[in-house]
């Protein structure tokens, strides 16, 4: 009996040692880190399309990787630029400063990556090419990797959208490439380089010959073809820059944006969305096959997540006897200005803009008219609390004591940057969303705290990642510290997330 017990103990020790050997040793790193962000991807798409996925794409991540099935966005609003930034910085707008796709800085509306101090490279289109991470206040995973290796690591971002290539790659990135849809070419800016590398020029030549791409024109984002092109460019960068072939770990940040454009146009249901995800599955399979060939299976660490999810189309919800509707921001602005003028007697507007459920007051105009800022805020809040389909109205500066649920209060505070986030935020009732010109009547949008906007996929795969899943609540801000821990490098300098255990 004692002999049997000894054998059992020995076997347990062997299993323990074996499991321990699968964990990264101190200083041991993969050859390459690959971050993948799918724009507007709901978590439940993984199960919705699972039976239709092939073996090499999403299903490979699910069956061979590790899935955190309850990953939530822990700030407001839930929009593209913020999501991409938060995943790679491990923090929120309060610290990284990217407070939306557009936001106000010093009273001036600003696009998140606009930088007029740089010039386009690969195009003469200044509107498309004058871009950089100038407005990003914190470092990213890639920045920390570059710092740790004395800038020997290569970090490259690739996407259809400029912000989805630039913000993940960070300040010190080797390069970021995005699509100039007017000239149908991948471009960059002088922030990174003076001239496109030969491999990028060669790929652009191939792209120029693509007859299907020529026919797509301005609506390129509506078609899965954009995903194919993004994948091709990522593979071209992988091979052209010899990523994963050097002495130090490299990083490739790939963001798929066509899914967001399709969602805004066609919603979360129907043949267009179905096609988008099944084609994306094939693109992922091609990307992983190229990584296997170039870097070697098991030699790279990959993660896949989303920048935000999306609500179901409100008409679809109503047709199925479920709550939902439009919240018309233009109507709100017009009525709000009239209400404030009646209450305070001002002759000039007090509102600079309304972006992503946030009201930006014109502080200069308010002061010039001899009005007290807090009094204006109080009147605006008074009006909004009477407006249909608004659940909560919060003065950002008083958010810590606002009469709203604690979890929501925390998300509002995490999304608030004093210099950039505006003055007042509203949360609409479940199923309602802001209707804007870029969302069609049969499409959808995002931006709120609700699970349909904030519950996103998070899968890790490859180097030292076991197979499994966890129902534990985790957050988008946990991605960066997890990757940095696996690489044994310092977290980004404003990171608030917690490293996840597989």
């Amino acid at each position: 009996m004692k002999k049997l017990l000894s054998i059992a103990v020995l076997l347990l020790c062997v299993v323990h040692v074996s499991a321990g050997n699968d964990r990264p040793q101190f200083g041991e790193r993969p050859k390459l880190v690959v971050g993948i962000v799918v724009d507007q991807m709901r978590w439940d798409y993984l199960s919705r399309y699972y039976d239709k996925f092939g073996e090499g794409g999403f299903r490979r991540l699910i069956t061979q990787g590790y899935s955190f099935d309850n990953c939530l966005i822990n700030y407001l609003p839930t929009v593209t630029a913020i999501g991409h930034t938060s995943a790679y910085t491990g923090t929120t707008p309060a610290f990284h400063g990217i407070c939306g796709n557009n936001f106000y800085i010093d009273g001036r509306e600003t696009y998140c990556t606009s930088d007029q101090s740089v010039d386009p490279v690969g195009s003469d289109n200044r509107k498309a090419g004058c871009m950089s991470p100038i407005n990003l206040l914190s470092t990213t995973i890639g920045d920390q990797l570059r710092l740790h290796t004395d800038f020997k690591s290569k970090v490259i971002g690739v996407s259809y959208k400029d912000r989805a290539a630039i913000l993940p790659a960070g300040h010190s990135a080797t390069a970021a490439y995005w699509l100039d849809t007017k000239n149908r070419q991948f471009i960059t800016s002088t922030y990174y380089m003076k001239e496109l590398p030969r491999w990028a020029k060669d790929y652009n030549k191939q792209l120029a010959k693509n007859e299907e791409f020529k026919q797509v024109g301005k609506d390129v984002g509506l078609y899965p073809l954009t995903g194919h092109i993004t994948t091709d460019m990522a593979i071209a960068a992988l091979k052209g820059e010899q990523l994963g072939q050097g002495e130090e770990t490299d990083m490739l940040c790939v963001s798929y944006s066509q899914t967001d454009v399709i969602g805004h146009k066609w919603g979360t249901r129907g043949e267009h969305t179905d096609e988008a995800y099944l084609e994306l599955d094939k693109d992922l399979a091609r990307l992983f096959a190229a990584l296997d060939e170039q870097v070697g299976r098991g030699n790279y660490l990959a993660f896949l997540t989303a920048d935000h999810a999306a609500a179901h189309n409100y008409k679809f919800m109503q047709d199925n006897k479920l709550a939902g509707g439009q919240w018309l921001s233009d109507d709100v602005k017009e009525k709000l200005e009239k209400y404030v003028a009646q209450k305070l007697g001002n002759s000039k507007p007090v509102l600079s803009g309304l972006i992503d459920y946030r009201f930006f007051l014109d502080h200069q105009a308010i002061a010039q008219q001899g009005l007290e800022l807090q009094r204006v805020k109080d009147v605006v809040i008074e009006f909004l609390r009477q407006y249909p389909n608004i659940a909560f109205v919060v003065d950002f500066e008083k958010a810590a004591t606002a009469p709203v649920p604690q979890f929501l209060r925390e998300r509002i505070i995490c999304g608030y940057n004093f210099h950039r986030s505006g003055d007042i935020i509203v949360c609409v009732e479940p199923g309602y969303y802001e209707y804007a010109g870029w969302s069609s009547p049969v499409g959808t949008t995002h931006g709120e705290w609700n699970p349909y906007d904030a519950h996103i996929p998070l899968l890790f795969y490859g180097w030292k990642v076991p197979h499994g899943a966890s129902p534990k609540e985790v957050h988008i801000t946990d991605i960066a510290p997890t990757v940095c821990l696996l690489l044994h490098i310092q977290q980004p300098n404003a990171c608030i997330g917690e490293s996840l255990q597989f």
Side-chain angles (χ1 to χ4, degrees), residues 90-236:
T91 193
T92 70
F95 299 102
H96 63 56
I98 300 300
C99 298
N101 300 332
N102 292 78
F103 46 90
Y104 282 77
I105 300 178
D106 297 327
R108 185 183 75 257
E109 186 170 355
T110 303
Y111 179 63
C112 58
T113 53
S114 178
D115 184 356
Q116 294 304 309
S117 71
V118 302
D119 295 315
V121 173
S123 169
D124 59 359
N125 185 354
R126 292 189 62 82
K127 183 178 180 181
C130 293
M131 302 289 170
S132 83
I134 187 173
N135 295 313
L136 176 61
L137 301 179
S138 63
T139 60
T140 63
I141 301 169
D143 289 327
Q144 297 301 141
L145 180 60
R146 295 265 287 163
L147 279 165
H148 193 86
T149 62
D150 292 327
F151 301 95
K152 295 175 184 176
S153 294
K154 293 181 179 180
V155 176
I156 293 178
V158 176
S159 183
Y160 158 51
K161 293 181 180 178
D162 47 60
R163 57 186 180 268
I166 293 168
L167 297 171
H171 294 280
S172 65
T174 310
Y177 302 98
W178 56 95
L179 198 60
D180 176 359
T181 55
K182 180 180 178 181
N183 295 311
R184 303 187 184 93
Q185 298 281 279
F186 274 97
I187 64 173
T188 187
S189 77
T190 52
Y191 179 88
Y192 303 98
M193 63 190 72
K194 294 182 180 179
E195 186 178 2
L196 289 175
R198 173 52 56 190
W199 64 263
K201 290 180 180 180
D202 290 342
Y203 179 66
N204 276 335
K205 288 179 181 177
Q206 295 179 35
L207 202 54
K209 298 176 182 178
N210 188 319
E211 294 300 323
E212 185 182 7
F213 191 29
K214 290 179 182 179
Q215 295 172 8
V216 174
K218 294 181 180 179
D219 290 332
V220 61
L222 298 179
Y223 294 82
L225 175 62
T226 309
H228 305 337
I229 292 167
T230 300
T231 305
D232 290 342
M233 184 62 176
I235 294 173

Side-chain angles (χ1 to χ4, degrees), residues 291-313:
L291 289 165
D292 290 345
E293 179 183 357
Q294 183 77 11
V295 187
R297 186 184 285 240
N299 289 328
Y300 59 91
L301 169 68
F303 66 83
L304 182 145
T305 190
D307 54 348
H308 56 76
H312 292 307
N313 176 266

Side-chain angles (χ1 to χ4, degrees), residues 425-447:
I425 187 169
V426 300
C427 295
V428 295
E429 293 174 352
Y432 283 78
Y433 52 77
E434 183 179 8
Y435 178 75
W438 36 263
S439 282
S440 77
V442 296
T444 188
T445 191
H446 48 86

